[in-house]
Amino acid sequence: MKGKRDHPPIYDRATYSRENSMGYLMRRIGQLMVGAVDRQLGFTGLTHAQWAPLFLIHRGEANTLAALARELQVDAGALTRTLDRLEAKGLCRRERSAEDRRVVHLTLTPEGEKAAEPVPGILCDVSNTMLEGFSATEWETLMGFLRRIVANAEALKDGPLAGDPAEGAAPPDAH
């Protein structure tokens, strides 16, 4: 993070614990959510690695291999293997661009569209269950906080932390 902090740091090396780590808790929430969605989608035979790409293609959020890999934050090679499985199941098609042979366009087959249809509803059901007891105002506040964390994390892509690099460095997989 560049610039001066308005507040003292939240975490201290001497008292740091995984149980109070935002990175650990966010990752744990993500894992629990994926597991719950996978269980709810068990009738489709699709795993997270398969329903997530189908969902993004279905929603029009990624229509090329490169865009899908970026959105899912996965290696294009690993994604190619997943797409091989989805294609073998008759759920998607890959077509090389006529203008640029490096670009691979992705479309869902009618079966793929049908397989993707329950995903948004199940995501809503799981999310609503996880937010049980939260008011709409609390949810809006949470979303604001999460967006601010994302913006701060995006700023980390631009370079080192403010201050002494040794002071800001975290051990690998500390979250």
Side-chain angles (χ1 to χ4, degrees):
M1 225 158 53
K2 295 180 177 161
K4 291 187 173 188
R5 296 175 192 240
D6 294 335
H7 307 284
I10 302 294
Y11 291 104
D12 179 88
R13 288 174 184 220
T15 59
Y16 181 86
S17 72
R18 187 175 76 141
E19 295 76 24
N20 288 319
S21 163
M22 69 171 183
Y24 169 77
L25 292 172
M26 287 189 294
R27 185 176 61 217
R28 186 72 182 124
I29 290 166
Q31 291 168 335
L32 291 167
M33 184 171 197
V34 164
V37 173
D38 277 356
R39 282 188 301 282
Q40 295 299 310
L41 284 170
F43 69 95
T44 67
L46 298 174
T47 64
H48 176 256
Q50 296 173 347
W51 64 256
L54 287 179
F55 176 66
L56 291 176
I57 297 166
H58 176 72
R59 302 266 311 210
E61 295 179 28
N63 65 352
T64 66
L65 177 63
L68 190 58
R70 243 187 336 273
E71 284 297 315
L72 293 172
Q73 297 182 352
V74 297
D75 175 71
L79 187 55
T80 296
R81 291 184 290 281
T82 298
L83 291 172
D84 288 343
R85 286 189 287 280
L86 292 173
E87 220 169 16
K89 289 182 175 187
L91 301 176
C92 75
R93 282 189 293 270
R94 290 178 279 194
E95 299 173 10
R96 290 236 175 247
S97 169
E99 295 84 36
D100 185 344
R101 300 288 296 156
R102 296 170 296 177
V103 175
V104 177
H105 292 284
L106 306 170
T107 57
L108 298 184
T109 63
E111 295 82 10
E113 291 288 345
K114 186 176 178 184
E117 282 176 14
V119 175
I122 290 172
L123 286 170
C124 287
D125 292 346
V126 169
S127 296
N128 286 331
T129 299
M130 292 176 77
L131 290 167
E132 188 68 36
F134 284 77
S135 70
T137 301
E138 289 171 325
W139 174 78
E140 289 171 10
T141 300
L142 173 63
M143 295 304 291
F145 290 155
L146 292 172
R147 287 185 183 102
R148 191 167 17 161
I149 291 170
V150 168
N152 289 343
E154 291 286 339
L156 288 174
K157 291 181 185 177
D158 296 334
L161 299 172
D164 180 2
E167 287 294 315
D173 200 30
H175 59 297

